[in-house]
Amino acid sequence: QPAAIVAVSNIEVVYNHVILVLKGVSLEVPEGGVVALLGANGAGKTTTLKAISHLLRAERGEVTKGTIAFHGEILAEETPNDLVQRGVIQVMEGRHCFEHLTVEENLLTGAYTRRDGAKAIARDLEMVYSYFPRLKERRTSQAGYTSGGEQQMTAIGRALMSRPRLILLDEPSMGLAPQLVEQIFEIVKKINVDEGVSILLAEQNTNVALRYADYGYILENGRVVMDGSAESLRQNEDVKEFYLGMS
Ligand code: ATP
């Protein structure tokens, strides 16, 4: 069994010093794995990802209990930028491209924490285009004028430009047509396999997430209520009834 790239142990998260949102969440992503974090709107998926990436602080959120370890080392005061440099990057829900920059300029912003040279960055840009040929076609277009699917691809491509080891991917299916969702998940899976990048995927679309993930956790009200292999969750009667829309 591969070691965990990230291990979250019993964390509590509080917003604004008073609102307790995570009430003891534990989960692990094995090195090279794809793990799905499932649950309804408001269950705490985004908060969990932000606790790992340290983006919580920008929202007056705080981990008040528990630990998060990356490669076995407990994270503490690192800034989000420090974590990007160590290989942890979050792709935010809602795509968040720089609308006035071109697609290619957006991708290049992903390399800003890197200290290696222009050659390596140019090589990685080609790597991103090999996964997303559509972005190469659209590279000189202003990102704000590209489609929702293209903006989601740009957001993932930008994350890849930081040479991540762990991508925290928040709701990539949101607002996209089913066929496009499938296409994006295929590419994410390919990136996982070919580059060995581990992925923690927050999704409300349980059905698609459990087809691409190896393992899943279900969050309800800030607690993990169930976890297991993707296959076992797909077969589970409660999961079928409450999350897969069939009984
Ligand atoms: P979604 O799919 O809507 O992102 P989620 O499962 O990711 O849902 P979170 O976004 O983590 O859930 O939200 C969990 C709870 O924390 C919700 O009740 C939400 O209102 C609350 N919350 C989120 N961000 C903040 C914040 N900055 N300040 C206060 N409460 C917040």
Side-chain angles (χ1 to χ4, degrees), residues 6-215:
V6 72
V8 174
S9 306
N10 203 24
I11 60 166
E12 284 186 0
V13 168
V14 172
Y15 284 109
N16 289 310
H17 302 291
V18 286
I19 311 165
L20 179 64
V21 166
L22 298 188
K23 304 162 186 170
V25 168
S26 300
L27 63 84
E28 275 189 18
V29 180
E31 181 86 59
V34 180
V35 172
L37 189 54
L38 306 166
N41 204 343
K45 304 181 296 298
T46 300
T47 300
T48 305
L49 299 190
K50 286 185 173 171
I52 298 170
S53 64
H54 287 186
L55 287 169
L56 262 187
R57 292 166 193 186
E59 300 191 40
R60 299 174 53 79
E62 205 186 346
V63 178
T64 51
K65 209 185 117 188
T67 59
I68 298 172
F70 180 64
H71 285 304
E73 198 180 313
I74 290 178
L75 300 177
E77 296 303 317
E78 297 83 358
T79 65
N81 269 357
D82 295 336
L83 291 184
V84 172
Q85 256 169 339
R86 287 173 62 175
V88 181
I89 193 154
Q90 181 160 353
V91 177
M92 305 271 246
E93 176 178 348
R95 310 188 261 277
H96 291 283
C97 291
F98 297 106
E99 293 185 0
H100 300 289
L101 299 184
T102 66
V103 166
E104 185 156 295
E105 286 164 347
N106 267 278
L107 294 175
L108 289 171
T109 63
Y112 79 109
T113 54
R114 287 173 59 168
R115 305 205 192 283
D116 50 358
K119 255 194 189 150
I121 291 173
R123 207 166 45 234
D124 285 346
L125 192 58
E126 285 311 312
M127 177 267 290
V128 170
Y129 287 145
S130 74
Y131 287 110
F132 298 105
R134 184 69 190 149
L135 294 185
K136 188 162 194 175
E137 293 167 24
R138 300 288 267 146
R139 68 185 184 280
T140 59
S141 305
Q142 209 176 305
Y145 290 115
T146 65
S147 71
E150 288 161 355
Q151 290 186 34
Q152 183 63 72
M153 292 176 192
T154 301
I156 296 170
R158 186 175 62 195
L160 275 180
M161 290 302 292
S162 69
R163 302 202 131 257
R165 299 313 304 154
L166 172 67
I167 298 180
L168 307 166
L169 188 52
D170 200 355
E171 210 91 38
S173 75
M174 194 167 71
L176 301 182
Q179 203 188 338
L180 206 48
V181 170
E182 217 61 51
Q183 199 184 327
I184 284 174
F185 272 80
E186 286 289 342
I187 296 170
V188 167
K189 185 67 196 172
K190 193 167 176 350
I191 291 167
N192 161 252
V193 171
D194 294 357
E195 311 293 326
V197 180
S198 309
I199 293 169
L200 179 58
L201 167 73
E203 258 300 342
Q204 284 194 55
N205 188 335
T206 308
N207 191 11
V208 74
L210 287 181
R211 279 192 289 106
Y212 288 92
D214 317 309
Y215 199 89

Side-chain angles (χ1 to χ4, degrees), residues 38 206-207 210 218 226 230 232-246:
L38 306 166
T206 308
N207 191 11
L210 287 181
I218 299 182
M226 202 187 296
S232 72
L233 292 177
R234 281 167 46 164
Q235 305 300 332
N236 182 284
E237 293 303 324
D238 288 336
V239 176
K240 283 189 197 171
E241 184 177 347
F242 296 110
Y243 292 100
L244 291 172
M246 46 171 137

